[in-house]
Amino acid sequence: MKQESQEAWVRFVQSPQGDHFRLLHELTRGFVASICVRLRLSEDDIEDTQQLVFSQILELAQDQAAALALPDINEHIAKLTQTVGGTLK
């Protein structure tokens, strides 16, 4: 998954189309949900966390240089999820 999601991230940043984002989302949403479960968030908070994390990912992708400089999108998503999820507890 790690390699696939990194490739999907690069593809989305280089060509920000809905299909490319959908693939990234599909590859990483379970990862986000599993972190939320470990944080013991409610179902509503899990949904809110996912929406906030992916909206921040969309914002980051707008700065192509910064987005492509990320060495590991999965690690970035994990940190975002922990930060956002932690504020909803």
Side-chain angles (χ1 to χ4, degrees), residues 22-59:
R22 254 187 303 285
L23 177 59
L24 176 66
H25 184 261
E26 288 172 12
L27 290 169
T28 57
R29 70 178 174 208
F31 178 53
V32 172
S34 70
I35 294 169
C36 290
V37 168
R38 281 186 259 142
L39 292 171
R40 299 182 181 197
L41 299 180
S42 68
E43 284 187 38
D44 288 341
D45 287 345
I46 290 172
E47 186 175 321
D48 291 345
T49 298
Q50 287 182 322
Q51 289 176 356
L52 290 167
V53 166
F54 287 108
S55 69
Q56 288 183 27
I57 292 297
L58 285 169
E59 280 184 43

